[in-house]
Amino acid sequence: SYELTQPPSVSVSPGQTARITCSGDALPRQYTHWYQQKPGQAPVLVIYKDSERPSGIPQRFSGSSSGTTVTFAISGVQAEDEADYYCQSADSSGTYPVVFGGGTKLTVL
Amino acid sequence: QVQLQESGPGLVKPSQTLSLTCTVSGGSISSGNYYWSWIRQPAGRGLEWIGRISASGTTIYNPSLESRVTISVDSSKNQFSLKLNSVTAADTALYFCARGVFWTGYYSYYYMDVWGKGTTVTVSS
């Protein structure tokens, strides 16, 4: 199987920058996408193709890629950003066309 | 804007078949380069992709579920459906349907930009 690895939790104070990593062997060759999920709600796409923001997503949300690790960042974190965040990508062979990371719980202190 | 709504039984007996339908409104299931996905999430756990289908019926499934899954599309009703057979308690989850943007080229990609609210399915006798 193919796995994407995320830290289980990240904590930041309001106004700081939160960074969540996602690691996988195929990430140098595959785009990564990020979803935000608040309790009791469906996931929402917040970053696609490593660093693109969908319409309506705040500019403080960003993404970057370097080798086998991609990073999702929220600058100037607000209380409303507290949520679970999932990365999503694929393996290189096409056997696993959609894989989610295990998710990261972002806590705003 | 496009909206998706899952529907189906909330309770399924072990060994039986789980059947869900996703109804697409606000747009045609046949327009654009979209592939339509099913994803599930056990309570308190992460997301698991089940599979996807194109408007023309091309499917691809998660290898871990492939032997038990069938996804189909009915363009005349603007719906796509999920069947998961031989269910066990491990299939108890919140099931989402989603629209996905698919591109194949030097760098192919697939991401899900519109999601339904989800429907809970419990497998129990």
Side-chain angles (χ1 to χ4, degrees):
Chain A
S1 64
Y2 179 64
E3 293 184 357
L4 298 173
T5 301
Q6 298 181 236
S9 62
V10 168
S11 299
V12 295
S13 298
Q16 290 188 329
T17 297
R19 292 182 177 83
I20 299 172
T21 58
C22 175
S23 298
D25 290 342
L27 295 188
R29 300 171 295 281
Q30 295 289 340
Y31 282 116
T32 303
H33 322 291
W34 291 90
Y35 303 87
Q36 175 194 67
Q37 187 181 30
K38 296 183 178 179
Q41 298 184 19
V44 173
L45 179 71
V46 291
I47 293 289
Y48 65 98
K49 291 172 62 182
D50 291 347
S51 60
E52 302 287 330
R53 270 182 297 105
S55 173
I57 300 302
Q59 285 189 339
R60 64 179 186 275
F61 289 72
S62 65
S64 62
S65 176
S66 179
T68 58
T69 299
V70 296
T71 301
F72 170 74
I74 308 174
S75 61
V77 166
Q78 302 177 6
E80 67 193 47
D81 299 328
E82 185 163 290
D84 293 326
Y85 291 86
Y86 294 90
C87 61
Q88 177 240 309
S89 189
D91 75 335
S92 297
S93 70
T95 303
Y96 298 92
V98 179
V99 177
F100 288 101
T104 298
K105 169 68 177 176
L106 174 65
T107 299
V108 182
L109 300 170
Chain B
Q1 71 278 21
V2 172
Q3 294 183 313
L4 282 67
Q5 177 69 58
E6 305 88 351
S7 60
L11 181 64
V12 181
K13 288 182 167 46
S15 80
Q16 293 192 341
T17 297
L18 178 160
S19 296
L20 296 175
T21 295
C22 182
T23 300
V24 180
S25 60
S28 171
I29 201 169
S30 301
S31 67
N33 198 25
Y34 298 118
Y35 277 55
W36 306 86
S37 273
W38 287 98
I39 306 96
R40 69 181 183 180
Q41 184 175 37
R45 299 181 61 182
L47 301 168
E48 180 180 33
W49 179 73
I50 299 170
R52 70 185 184 215
I53 189 167
S54 70
S56 62
T58 301
T59 54
I60 186 165
Y61 302 124
N62 184 333
S64 68
L65 297 168
E66 187 167 17
S67 62
R68 299 195 291 132
V69 173
T70 301
I71 298 177
S72 59
V73 64
D74 187 338
S75 298
S76 67
K77 295 182 179 179
N78 233 28
Q79 295 176 333
F80 63 106
S81 299
L82 168 69
K83 289 189 186 301
L84 180 66
N85 59 36
S86 305
V87 297
T88 69
D91 296 309
T92 294
L94 179 60
Y95 284 76
F96 296 100
C97 60
R99 184 183 78 172
V101 176
F102 178 66
W103 178 261
T104 181
Y106 185 77
Y107 283 108
S108 63
Y109 57 81
Y110 179 79
Y111 59 86
M112 290 157 279
D113 64 340
V114 181
W115 293 63
K117 289 185 165 81
T119 187
T120 297
V121 178
T122 301
V123 178
S124 175
S125 56

